[in-house]
Amino acid sequence: MLDQIPEILRAKGFLTEEQSQAIRDKAVQDPDKRIDRILLESGLVSEENYLQAMAEEMGFGFTDLSDRQPDEEAIRLTPTKFVFKNKVFPLAVEGNGTLVVATSEPFEILSLDELETLTGHSVEPIFAPEKEITKQIKSYFGVGGETLGDMVGGDSPDGNVDLNPDDDEAMAESASVIRLVNEILTEAVRERTSDIHIEPGEDGLQIRYRVDGVLQLQALPPEIFRFQSAIASRIKIMSKLNIAEKRKPQDGRIKMRVDGRDIDLRVSIIPMLYGEGIVLRVLDKGKMVYDLRKIGMDQDIYDDFAKLIALPHGILLVTGPTGSGKSTTLYSALNEIKGEDTKIITVEDPVEYQMAGISQIQVNHKVGLDFSAGLRAILRHDPDVVLVGEIRDFETGQIAIQAAMTGHLVFSTLHTNDAPSAFSRLVDMGIEPYLVASTVVGVMAQRLVRRICSNCKAEVAVHPMDLPSDFPQPDVGFLWKGSGCEKCRSTGYSGRVGIYELLRPTPAIQPLILNRATSSEIKIQAIADGMQTLRTYAWKRVLEGVTTVEEVMRVSKEDEVAAPSKPSATPAASSAADD
């Protein structure tokens, strides 16, 4: 029947006579390759159309798996190693005992015969695309399941691999553990993960990926707990850390390539109650574009911010929690103003992305090179613009103030909830209010909200009673949501976009700073002067159909002061800004 595939597809309208003949000619030229492989590699017919045609011709079913939920009994019945080796996915056990499995290989009959022998059940195939089968296998059998199957079911007499749990280095250097860790890291990168959390607990090991700012628990084979120490040791070796040190926190870095892209992983390891907890921050250089016009700012915010970064001196602060896009905003700002006539030096902890045309310094606490020491040294190198990764203490803040007063433009970050709180934070560090008022030229607070998936985006009716009290248009009638699809992993969201709050100290705000006013008092005056709060900016994104009410409520709280004027919907910004 293999030889008849081109003619079958031609008869069903998927190939022309010329295309059918071309496939047959290629099969003659390459007799060692099966004709169905030649067909799919040619791209003349999609895998879905090919499988649908074969299912109809052979009397079997076809599914795209999007609406199929597997039976627990079918999952339990099918050996994990067989699933990964043959790329079949168990779907159901019918009333007569027949095991229904999805496969993308209509002509791999021997593997189905083997499965009948292993399970003692007759097997009925149903055809489905390979990529969907692979996705379902990872969801139900876990990341690294195939490798773990080999590790716990090898050729040794007791069915276990010969790994000595007391020899961490030997375990970490074994081919199986190397492969397992690589699978975990590679899968995370392909799923657009920003952070990988490897967390030991009393009941076992769990791995969570942070995707679009939200942690998602990954399915794992239960056997992975036995290799918890080996996984930690392997990551230490890759990070060039001390494999024997299990009592103190350690930080390192891993460089790897995934699908032709350079990936940096920032590694943090901390001893915990049931083992070592590991968090890896994924820095995908290939996907980062540092362009202020593409990080989601409205035109008026962009215009004001562009004026601030063009000033000859002063301090410009970007505030927000970890993972809110501060680094992207600052790097984009530096990228906008760098040039042959501008000397830019940064001191960072760590240097996340290397940028041409900018001198970057890595903080090294072991030798006493912290932010304050680095900033003090930078000022002797005649810079025009300075970036300090974070103002954490009085000393760093004081040196930044002095740098701004002596003709330098200083960029930095603070961890505050909104822009007005930045002034109180600096004063609380011990910096004199008059210095803060005279040097800080602007504060940008920001967050990242998940963008509604464009593939499954749909209008939904809303009732005013279901909307938050500060929603600007309670009679809007309908909004947008993602229903969940393959593209967004059924979350309804894909990618993120920034929301911003830009405060420029006006003549009315500066006296408040001098008099040590509270952040609430400064916020009231800033709104009166025209500042748009994070919450107000976010509601605009909801009305534009970019994000949802639930996302806004997740990342921001209702303004506790008089609300500014209601926003009107404007065209949405086109690109996401991920940290």
Side-chain angles (χ1 to χ4, degrees):
M1 189 175 183
L2 274 168
D3 295 338
Q4 301 173 13
I5 288 176
E7 184 59 29
I8 292 171
L9 293 172
R10 187 200 64 77
K12 295 183 180 299
F14 292 124
L15 287 178
T16 65
E17 177 59 42
E18 291 77 11
Q19 291 171 333
S20 176
Q21 185 59 50
I23 295 298
R24 288 194 292 267
D25 292 343
K26 287 184 180 179
V28 172
Q29 297 167 8
D30 192 356
D32 294 332
K33 183 176 288 187
R34 277 178 21 186
I35 197 168
D36 57 337
R37 302 276 193 266
I38 295 173
L39 172 73
L40 293 174
E41 290 173 5
S42 72
L44 295 175
V45 177
S46 69
E47 185 185 23
E48 288 81 357
N49 287 340
Y50 161 69
L51 291 173
Q52 285 175 338
M54 290 298 101
E56 184 177 335
E57 188 70 19
M58 301 170 72
F60 295 120
F62 172 85
T63 178
D64 62 5
L65 292 181
S66 60
D67 58 349
R68 293 293 299 261
Q69 284 289 103
D71 294 345
E72 289 185 10
E73 184 181 358
I75 297 289
R76 178 189 56 78
L77 193 62
T78 311
T80 300
K81 190 170 183 178
F82 181 89
V83 167
F84 279 96
K85 178 182 177 182
N86 296 281
K87 288 187 171 57
V88 301
F89 184 68
L91 289 173
V93 178
E94 297 184 341
N96 60 2
T98 299
L99 174 63
V100 180
V101 298
T103 178
S104 61
E105 295 285 356
F107 300 100
E108 293 292 343
I109 306 300
L110 290 179
S111 63
L112 300 183
D113 291 341
E114 180 185 352
L115 184 58
E116 289 188 346
T117 302
L118 289 171
T119 62
H121 290 252
S122 60
V123 174
E124 178 182 326
I126 185 171
F127 300 157
E130 181 181 357
K131 64 179 180 180
E132 295 303 319
I133 292 174
T134 300
K135 183 184 299 183
Q136 293 291 343
I137 289 173
K138 289 178 180 177
S139 296
Y140 287 91
F141 288 89
V143 178
E146 182 178 12
T147 300
L148 280 166
D150 292 339
M151 293 166 73
V152 301
D155 297 328
S156 58
D158 59 359
N160 294 320
V161 290
D162 186 17
L163 292 178
N164 181 1
D166 297 323
D167 190 345
D168 286 346
E169 187 168 359
M171 290 182 69
E173 293 287 11
S174 71
S176 295
V177 172
I178 291 173
R179 181 181 168 194
L180 174 62
V181 172
N182 286 345
E183 285 181 18
I184 293 170
L185 301 183
T186 300
E187 178 68 12
V189 172
R190 289 173 176 164
E191 291 294 332
R192 301 183 298 106
T193 300
S194 62
D195 300 88
I196 307 167
H197 293 247
I198 302 175
E199 303 164 325
E202 183 178 9
D203 299 325
L205 186 71
Q206 73 173 15
I207 296 179
R208 295 191 287 174
Y209 293 164
R210 189 178 295 279
V211 181
D212 292 337
V214 178
L215 284 171
Q216 299 180 4
L217 184 65
Q218 302 303 300
L220 295 172
E223 296 87 359
I224 198 169
F225 180 67
R226 296 170 54 184
F227 303 96
Q228 174 182 321
S229 178
I231 292 170
S233 297
R234 177 59 193 164
I235 291 175
K236 286 180 183 178
I237 290 174
M238 296 173 73
S239 312
K240 298 180 173 59
L241 300 177
N242 184 355
I243 194 173
E245 180 56 76
K246 298 184 178 181
R247 300 168 301 169
K248 297 179 181 179
Q250 296 190 74
D251 294 323
R253 198 161 192 159
I254 298 171
K255 290 187 177 182
M256 59 187 297
R257 285 182 68 82
V258 177
D259 300 332
R261 304 197 310 273
D262 289 326
I263 306 296
D264 275 1
L265 300 169
R266 266 171 38 195
V267 181
S268 175
I269 301 178
I270 300 178
M272 295 186 176
L273 188 60
Y274 295 103
E276 293 178 290
I278 304 171
V279 175
L280 302 98
R281 167 64 61 88
V282 181
L283 305 172
D284 190 343
K285 297 179 179 180
K287 289 193 173 182
M288 297 307 301
V289 178
Y290 297 114
D291 187 339
L292 278 180
R293 295 184 180 275
K294 294 183 179 180
I295 62 175
M297 290 184 186
D298 280 347
Q299 187 63 42
D300 55 346
I301 296 283
Y302 170 81
D303 291 341
D304 287 343
F305 193 70
K307 292 176 183 176
L308 291 175
I309 65 177
L311 292 173
H313 55 79
I315 297 178
L316 177 59
L317 298 171
V318 179
T319 77
T322 301
S324 59
K326 299 188 299 296
S327 296
T328 297
T329 299
L330 286 173
Y331 280 132
S332 298
L334 293 181
N335 206 36
E336 184 123 330
I337 63 176
K338 73 177 182 180
E340 294 181 357
D341 58 346
T342 304
K343 173 81 169 186
I344 301 175
I345 308 179
T346 75
V347 53
E348 306 170 61
D349 184 20
V351 174
E352 292 191 352
Y353 296 97
Q354 298 175 20
M355 300 185 68
I358 296 175
S359 303
Q360 296 172 275
I361 299 172
Q362 168 73 56
V363 163
N364 187 343
H365 295 285
K366 293 180 180 179
V367 298
L369 180 57
D370 54 16
F371 282 125
S372 57
L375 180 54
R376 192 179 294 110
I378 281 176
L379 297 180
R380 294 193 287 269
H381 271 243
D382 187 30
D384 298 297
V385 179
V386 173
L387 183 147
V388 186
E390 183 182 351
I391 296 178
R392 296 177 178 173
D393 51 37
F394 168 77
E395 187 175 9
T396 306
Q398 188 73 12
I399 300 170
I401 294 282
Q402 293 172 0
M405 294 180 68
T406 54
H408 302 88
L409 181 61
V410 181
F411 294 164
S412 192
T413 69
L414 276 178
H415 285 282
T416 62
N417 290 325
D418 57 16
S421 299
F423 301 102
S424 302
R425 178 81 179 95
L426 291 173
V427 172
D428 289 344
M429 286 181 186
I431 300 172
E432 290 296 331
Y434 75 90
L435 293 175
V436 175
S438 61
T439 56
V440 177
V441 296
V443 183
M444 172 82 86
Q446 66 180 73
R447 298 288 189 280
L448 294 174
V449 293
R450 289 184 290 175
R451 185 189 293 273
I452 298 172
C453 173
S454 59
N455 192 55
C456 60
K457 181 177 178 180
E459 293 180 359
V460 292
V462 292
H463 191 278
M465 294 295 292
D466 298 328
L467 295 171
S469 59
D470 64 329
F471 191 77
Q473 293 185 17
D475 58 347
V476 67
F478 70 90
L479 292 171
W480 290 267
K481 281 189 178 180
S483 58
C485 64
E486 169 197 334
K487 180 181 176 183
C488 63
R489 298 182 61 177
S490 301
T491 63
Y493 300 96
S494 181
R496 291 189 290 178
V497 66
I499 59 173
Y500 302 93
E501 174 181 286
L502 180 59
L503 191 162
R504 299 181 67 178
T506 62
I509 290 176
Q510 287 180 332
L512 295 176
I513 300 172
L514 290 171
N515 293 324
R516 300 175 185 267
T518 65
S519 58
S520 295
E521 293 171 324
I522 295 174
K523 186 171 188 176
I524 292 171
Q525 184 60 54
I527 292 174
D529 291 343
M531 183 189 79
Q532 186 175 224
T533 67
L534 280 168
R535 186 86 162 187
T536 303
Y537 192 104
W539 289 140
K540 292 176 65 176
R541 291 290 176 259
V542 173
L543 291 170
E544 294 163 0
V546 175
T547 190
T548 64
V549 170
E550 292 78 12
E551 267 299 281
V552 174
M553 296 178 68
R554 182 179 69 86
V555 303
S556 67
K557 66 176 184 177
E558 186 174 348
D559 295 322
E560 298 176 357
V561 296
S565 58
K566 294 180 180 180
S568 57
T570 57
S574 61
S575 321
D578 288 289
D579 194 1

